[in-house]
Amino acid sequence: MAVKPTTRTKPSAGQPTRIASDVYAAAQQVAVRESRSAAEQVNHWARIGQSLAMHQAASRRRVEAVLAGTLPMSALRPDEREVVNAELDAAITARAQSTPLGQAAGGTTVALDEDGRLVEYRPDGTSALLDVG
């Protein structure tokens, strides 16, 4: 006779008393292969998840330190450098899109507007649509 899975444990202070029934069922299946009880399997998975979460948080703190200029880029792993580069690219793109080109360059510039027309941007902040004939 098969044992009916239960999702309750004996309550004690500060410990959970329920887990999702699908997680418990999966733990029972894997536990057999791993020579563990279902509870030991759930605890094993929880420890792996906890370790992964802490690792990701530490990695994020390192990325933020590089972005803040308090840690050199060379201190990061290649995957962390990719995150920094993506963050920098996004910040540069956002800044470039919000900067009036004529004012930023200190001179008159020409660029396409949202409708694809040539516009002259002047240092004083004014602009004029160019007639390209």
Side-chain angles (χ1 to χ4, degrees):
M1 180 170 155
V3 176
K4 183 177 178 183
T6 179
T7 58
R8 296 188 63 91
T9 60
K10 186 176 181 181
S12 65
Q15 292 184 336
T17 58
R18 296 179 187 250
I19 62 169
S21 59
D22 62 322
V23 172
Y24 185 82
Q28 281 185 310
Q29 291 177 347
V30 173
V32 172
R33 291 192 307 265
E34 299 293 325
S35 298
R36 295 184 178 115
S37 69
E40 289 170 334
Q41 186 62 44
V42 169
N43 286 331
H44 176 71
W45 286 340
R47 286 184 187 101
I48 291 170
Q50 179 184 26
S51 177
L52 182 60
M54 287 189 311
H55 175 74
Q56 288 174 340
S59 183
R60 183 66 200 167
R61 284 192 301 274
R62 291 160 42 89
V63 165
E64 289 171 357
V66 168
L67 292 170
T70 60
L71 185 69
M73 183 80 128
S74 60
L76 299 181
R77 296 186 320 265
D79 60 315
E80 293 169 329
R81 288 186 199 137
E82 287 181 26
V83 173
V84 169
N85 287 331
E87 295 258 5
L88 290 173
D89 184 51
I92 290 167
T93 299
R95 186 71 179 263
Q97 290 174 342
S98 66
T99 302
L101 296 176
Q103 292 174 345
T108 301
T109 59
V110 177
L112 295 175
D113 68 5
E114 298 83 28
D115 298 320
R117 301 173 299 187
L118 274 177
V119 178
E120 179 182 77
Y121 295 95
R122 299 182 189 111
D124 65 0
T126 61
S127 61
L129 187 60
L130 296 178
D131 182 22
V132 292

